[in-house]
Amino acid sequence: MRLHSLPIDELIARGVTPSFARILGDPESYHPDLSIHIGTTNWDYFVPTDATDIVPLWDSNADSFVRWTRAGNTEYVWLFHDDPKWILIAHSEQGIMAKLWQDWSEFQESDDECRRFADAIGFRSCDEGLVMIERDSDTISAWRLSLTD
């Protein structure tokens, strides 16, 4: 299945929080280097036949992060171009925000910039995430799965 990026208004119409949708739809409005981490989804992906309501969020190097519904559950997953495997990242929008926030934060030199980015996308667990990255980054995947909206 070929996935294409959605414009900001369509992301919002599909239930993406407006502040998050603005960053996904126009990452350079936040920072010109953010485009390194958010690209344009325009690749073919293997999507399970039971996945519905697929919303492409962002891609990075032809790997895509999407929201879909499977078996009545909302899942945020990481898809790989030309590879049928996928990874469950989160069960909530706050959880997938944690992934984008973490990827950006790893390149920042100050906690203040990490907090500014969290505010920009609407991510509420920045301080908890900063502590986790500093002390125990091995459990961050489970933490993302535990976050709720």
Side-chain angles (χ1 to χ4, degrees), residues 15 17 74 76 91-97 124 146-149:
T17 301
T74 300
Y76 294 81
H91 296 287
S92 69
E93 190 176 65
Q94 284 294 303
I96 198 66
M97 284 179 187
R124 297 185 305 262
S146 74
L147 292 173
T148 59
D149 288 336

Side-chain angles (χ1 to χ4, degrees), residues 3 45-48 51-52 54-59 63-70 73-80 84-92 95-96 99 145:
L3 298 179
Y45 296 93
F46 294 94
V47 174
T52 61
I54 300 161
V55 178
L57 299 172
W58 78 90
D59 83 342
D63 298 336
S64 189
F65 294 88
V66 304
R67 183 190 76 201
W68 66 34
T69 302
R70 267 186 347 113
N73 297 309
T74 300
E75 298 174 331
Y76 294 81
V77 299
W78 187 0
L79 300 176
F80 305 97
K85 292 184 256 177
W86 53 271
I87 297 172
L88 177 65
I89 299 295
H91 296 287
S92 69
I96 198 66
K99 174 64 175 152
L145 286 166

Side-chain angles (χ1 to χ4, degrees), residues 2 9 17 23 47 51 77 85 90 93 100 106 122-123 127 148:
R2 183 156 291 239
D9 58 340
T17 301
I23 295 294
V47 174
V77 299
K85 292 184 256 177
E93 190 176 65
L100 182 60
E106 289 175 353
F123 178 54
D127 289 331
T148 59

Side-chain angles (χ1 to χ4, degrees), residues 12-132:
I12 293 169
R14 300 284 302 271
V16 176
T17 301
S19 58
F20 192 35
R22 278 189 291 280
I23 295 294
L24 296 175
D26 186 13
E28 291 187 14
S29 68
Y30 179 76
H31 193 284
D33 290 341
L34 192 53
S35 63
I36 294 169
H37 305 290
I38 300 176
T40 301
T41 302
N42 189 19
W43 292 88
D44 288 315
Y45 296 93
F46 294 94
V47 174
T49 57
D50 61 341
T52 61
D53 191 29
I54 300 161
V55 178
L57 299 172
W58 78 90
D59 83 342
S60 179
N61 297 324
D63 298 336
S64 189
F65 294 88
V66 304
R67 183 190 76 201
W68 66 34
T69 302
R70 267 186 347 113
N73 297 309
T74 300
E75 298 174 331
Y76 294 81
V77 299
W78 187 0
L79 300 176
F80 305 97
H81 175 61
D82 287 341
D83 188 340
K85 292 184 256 177
W86 53 271
I87 297 172
L88 177 65
I89 299 295
H91 296 287
S92 69
E93 190 176 65
Q94 284 294 303
I96 198 66
M97 284 179 187
K99 174 64 175 152
L100 182 60
W101 172 84
Q102 177 190 2
D103 289 351
W104 175 253
S105 296
E106 289 175 353
F107 294 97
Q108 305 313 306
E109 295 182 18
S110 77
D111 289 354
D112 288 342
E113 174 54 27
C114 297
R115 287 184 184 95
R116 275 192 295 278
F117 186 60
D119 288 344
I121 63 174
F123 178 54
R124 297 185 305 262
S125 300
C126 176
D127 289 331
E128 185 180 351
L130 287 170
V131 169
M132 184 164 296

